[in-house]
Amino acid sequence: METIPQKQPEKGLTWTLRTVRGEIRPAAWEHIEQELDRLHPSDPDSFLVLEQEGETDYWYIQSAVALKGPHAGQYIVGCGWSGAQGPSTPGGIALVEWYGDYAGAVEKFRQVWETGTVDFTGFQDLSYELPANQRQSVLQICRMEVGPLETNCYILTEKHAGLAAVIDPGGDAPRIIREIQRQGVKLQYILLTHGHYDHVDALPELAAAFPEAKIHIHKKDVQGVDPQLFPVPAMLKDPKCPVKQLHYYKAFNDWDVETHKAKDLPFGCLNIHPIHTPGHSEGSVTLRVSGGPLFCGDTLFQGSCGRTDFPGGNVGKMMSSLRVFGMMNGDAAVYPGHMEPTTLEEERKNNPYLRQALQETP
C-alpha cells in the first residue's frame, strides 16, 4: 500500500455525474446506481464518471466493464486526481484501479457518496499510463539554435526506448549529430514543420549519418514549390545527395486527408500527432507529442506569428491555423521555429494575432 498514491475527495465540493451518452446528470445516489446497472461488456462505450472540480484540484471515480485481457468481464473502478504527490505521479496526476464484481463496484461508489472517502485496499497504481506522466518521465527535449537565421532545432528523446526525433535541422549538422551520438539513442525520425531552407539545410548530412531515419514533410512543401525557398525537391533530384525517400504526413486538420486516414507517428510509448497549420507555407505542420508540447515551426511565435508574404503564404490560412491553437483545450508548452518557447495560455492572453483570429468568424 505504501507505493499506491492516495488522495481523498474534497469535502464540500459539488459532485457531477457524466455518462458516455454525453449526459450530465444530477449526482443523486439513485442515478449513480442506475448508471452502474447499465454497464455491460457487450457495449464497448459504456462507462460513468462521478467527478468534482475545485479551483486547483480535480478528483473522480469512474467505472466500466473490461472487454478483454486478464480482467475481461469484471468491473473496473478507477480513481484519479490532479495535485497528487509522490514519485509514482511525477506529472502531478494519478490513476489507481480496482477490479471486481458488480456488488464491489457499487460498494466503492457508495463509500465515496456516503462518506467522501475511498478504501484503496486492492487498488493498483496505473499513474504511469497517463500521457502527462509518460511525457514527464520519458520525453526529453533539447533545443539548439542552428544556421544563420538561428532556427530552433529540437531533438526529442524517448528515454525508455532509446529513440530520438529531430525537428527542423536547419543547419550546424555536426552539432546535431554529435548530440544524438552523445545520447546514444537511435534516430527514428527527421521531422520537418515546413520546407523552407532555414529548417532543412542540415538534412543531407543527417540523412547520410542516420540512413534508417524516416524523413517526414508535408507534400505541399515539396510539390510545385519555389526551389530557392524550398530546397528539398532539389535534394531528391541530386544523385549525390543522400536524401532519397520522403514520407508525407497524413496530417489531422488537412482538407486533403480524410479524417479516418490521418495518422500519428509512434514514438516509443509516446505518439507524435501531426496537425496541418498552413499560412506561413502551404505545407506547414505542427507536431504535438502525446497531447502535450507543440512544435509549431513558423506558424505561432511568442507574441507574434509567421510571415505570410513568401510564396505559399496566405493570411486567411494563417488566421485559421492560429484559431486552431486558440481553440485547443487547456494549456501546453509551445516550441516555435525561432525565438523562445512560450505557452498556449500566454499566447491566448497576449498574442494580438491569435486574439484577432479567435474573434474572426471562421
Side-chain angles (χ1 to χ4, degrees):
M1 281 297 295
E2 291 76 15
T3 61
I4 301 296
Q6 299 183 42
K7 182 181 176 71
Q8 300 293 350
E10 293 290 330
K11 302 291 185 182
L13 288 182
T14 302
W15 289 102
T16 301
L17 181 64
R18 282 194 299 115
T19 74
V20 71
R21 297 181 300 281
E23 297 175 350
I24 299 179
R25 306 188 65 183
W29 175 249
E30 58 266 28
H31 295 156
I32 297 170
E33 203 166 23
Q34 286 173 5
E35 295 299 332
L36 282 168
D37 194 48
R38 287 178 177 177
L39 298 180
H40 197 277
S42 65
D43 182 359
D45 292 325
S46 64
F47 71 87
L48 78 154
V49 181
L50 181 66
E51 60 189 358
Q52 59 170 215
E53 185 170 4
E55 291 186 6
T56 59
D57 288 339
Y58 173 74
W59 196 99
Y60 68 86
I61 180 170
Q62 64 183 8
S63 189
V65 178
L67 302 179
K68 56 185 178 180
H71 303 290
Q74 290 185 296
Y75 281 75
I76 306 170
V77 175
C79 295
W81 54 83
S82 63
Q85 302 294 324
S88 62
T89 57
I93 58 176
L95 170 65
V96 293
E97 285 189 350
W98 170 93
Y99 311 94
D101 58 13
Y102 171 76
V106 171
E107 183 56 33
K108 297 294 183 187
F109 274 81
R110 187 190 302 277
Q111 190 180 51
V112 170
W113 181 251
E114 294 182 352
T115 70
T117 60
V118 181
D119 178 3
F120 287 105
T121 302
F123 278 77
Q124 299 179 24
D125 183 13
L126 299 180
S127 301
Y128 175 75
E129 295 187 4
L130 295 168
N133 287 343
Q134 287 185 341
R135 288 196 306 273
Q136 284 220 2
S137 62
V138 176
L139 179 64
Q140 174 180 295
I141 302 170
C142 172
R143 177 173 74 101
M144 56 176 68
E145 294 180 349
V146 299
L149 297 185
E150 297 183 332
T151 299
N152 284 331
C153 172
Y154 299 97
I155 301 175
L156 312 185
T157 305
E158 201 276 37
K159 293 185 288 186
H160 281 194
L163 299 173
V166 171
I167 298 177
D168 290 351
D172 297 333
R175 286 177 56 208
I176 301 172
I177 293 170
R178 281 198 303 269
E179 177 59 24
I180 296 168
Q181 292 173 339
R182 184 193 68 80
Q183 293 188 24
V185 291
K186 176 184 177 181
L187 184 62
Q188 183 177 10
Y189 298 119
I190 301 172
L191 306 174
L192 307 176
T193 62
H194 60 295
H196 286 171
Y197 65 90
D198 60 317
H199 289 252
V200 306
D201 271 0
L203 185 56
E205 292 94 331
L206 263 67
F210 306 101
E212 295 181 359
K214 294 181 179 180
I215 303 167
H216 286 259
I217 187 172
H218 196 285
K219 65 181 179 181
K220 288 188 176 179
D221 275 9
V222 178
Q223 301 172 355
V225 293
D226 181 339
Q228 289 189 323
L229 189 58
F230 297 88
V232 172
M235 294 178 186
L236 287 172
K237 293 177 182 178
D238 183 354
K240 297 181 181 179
C241 182
V243 178
K244 300 300 182 187
Q245 184 180 15
L246 301 177
H247 298 265
Y248 294 136
Y249 294 114
K250 294 182 179 178
F252 295 80
N253 194 48
D254 191 332
W255 286 99
D256 295 331
V257 177
E258 296 178 54
T259 302
H260 71 280
K261 292 185 178 179
K263 289 186 177 180
D264 289 344
L265 303 178
F267 186 46
C269 69
L270 306 174
N271 63 75
I272 298 173
H273 183 77
I275 308 166
H276 190 211
T277 49
H280 182 64
S281 73
E282 283 286 352
S284 287
V285 168
T286 292
L287 303 166
R288 187 164 201 181
V289 181
S290 292
L294 295 148
F295 299 85
C296 56
D298 290 359
T299 301
L300 178 64
F301 296 128
Q302 187 179 61
S304 186
C305 67
R307 293 175 59 171
T308 58
D309 56 339
F310 292 135
N314 183 286
V315 174
K317 291 180 179 179
M318 176 61 78
M319 289 294 104
S320 295
S321 293
L322 293 177
R323 195 177 301 119
V324 169
F325 289 107
M327 296 179 68
M328 289 179 177
N329 291 328
D331 198 9
V334 174
Y335 293 91
H338 301 272
M339 300 182 289
E340 294 297 313
T342 181
T343 66
L344 276 179
E345 195 58 38
E346 180 70 20
E347 299 314 303
R348 288 193 193 103
K349 291 178 182 177
N350 300 312
N351 189 314
Y353 301 95
L354 191 149
R355 290 173 66 86
Q356 178 185 345
L358 288 173
Q359 291 169 5
E360 293 183 0
T361 303

